[in-house]
Amino acid sequence: MALGGRPTPLVLATRNPGKVAEFARLLAPYPWQLLDLDAAGVSGELAEPGPGYAENAAAKADAVCAMSGLCALGDDSGIEVIALRGWPGPHSARWRPGSDADRLEGLLLKVAECCPGDRRARYVAAVALARPGGAPALVAMGNCRGRLVVPRGRGGFGYDPGFLSDDLGRTFGEVATPEKDAVSHRARAVAELAAQGALGPRAASRGAGPPPTA
């Protein structure tokens, strides 16, 4: 992934500052020079044609790769309530207008109304790596399980304060960044992409990656 010893540019196909920061941490051990969309000269919104996470992630990676002429990493993610048959899923960021806090509040109200006795949920992520040349993007998936609770903590983003991780016993809003990065859905998707050989060699000093998706 490096050209003449120099890291290869990789455009992050997202304008979500929380995702940009998380990918910067997760990809730090690998030989890439990360660029945001503005630095790569990519403007406008990126389409999410669906129907699922993998299709959305690949579409964004392919679009940014074509526009920038550089390698691109796209992603899509969401939270799925088991008792609601996986809703809101890929629509997690759009099903209700307003802020992340507004959507978390709405989701908790929906669960209290429809399934108060079963608050199990999981985060799901897809990541896709596209390279110039027209080959199909490589896609990897990851998930982490937990349950929905009254918000705790101010860390993370999205639904994190209301997601009580089975792995950690605390919400993603309460834990330190390295703890979340060890078990999160996005971390597991990146680890799966690395296992496909797509990200290049991992710096030995960084230690082992997150566990595989359960």
Side-chain angles (χ1 to χ4, degrees), residues 111-213:
V111 168
E113 175 187 351
C114 299
C115 52
D118 186 356
R119 305 176 73 87
R120 292 175 299 154
R122 68 174 189 166
Y123 265 135
V124 180
V127 294
L129 179 66
R131 293 185 174 90
L138 293 174
V139 179
M141 303 289 296
N143 74 70
C144 58
R145 298 178 182 274
R147 60 190 179 92
L148 291 169
V149 297
V150 174
R152 305 176 191 171
R154 298 185 178 181
F157 59 99
Y159 296 87
D160 283 358
F163 181 79
L164 182 66
S165 165
D166 283 352
D167 294 292
L168 302 175
R170 288 172 291 163
T171 72
F172 277 177
E174 295 178 291
V175 300
T177 295
E179 294 177 277
K180 177 185 174 184
D181 287 350
V183 301
S184 77
H185 52 311
R186 207 164 282 114
R188 286 172 168 163
V190 168
E192 176 60 28
L193 196 64
Q196 297 179 28
L199 297 179
R202 182 185 176 93
S205 62
R206 298 289 183 165
T213 295

Side-chain angles (χ1 to χ4, degrees), residues 45-124:
E45 295 301 314
L46 300 175
E48 295 186 342
Y53 305 105
E55 293 86 357
N56 287 336
K60 289 187 280 190
D62 287 338
V64 170
C65 181
M67 286 186 278
S68 67
L70 301 170
C71 295
L73 187 80
D75 89 292
D76 192 34
S77 59
I79 194 165
E80 299 181 347
V81 179
I82 306 305
L84 298 180
R85 299 182 179 181
W87 185 86
H91 305 289
S92 295
R94 303 180 299 278
W95 75 273
R96 178 176 179 172
S99 65
D100 287 347
D102 293 330
R103 283 182 284 275
L104 175 56
E105 179 185 32
L107 182 61
L108 292 173
L109 289 173
K110 186 75 170 178
V111 168
E113 175 187 351
C114 299
C115 52
D118 186 356
R119 305 176 73 87
R120 292 175 299 154
R122 68 174 189 166
Y123 265 135
V124 180

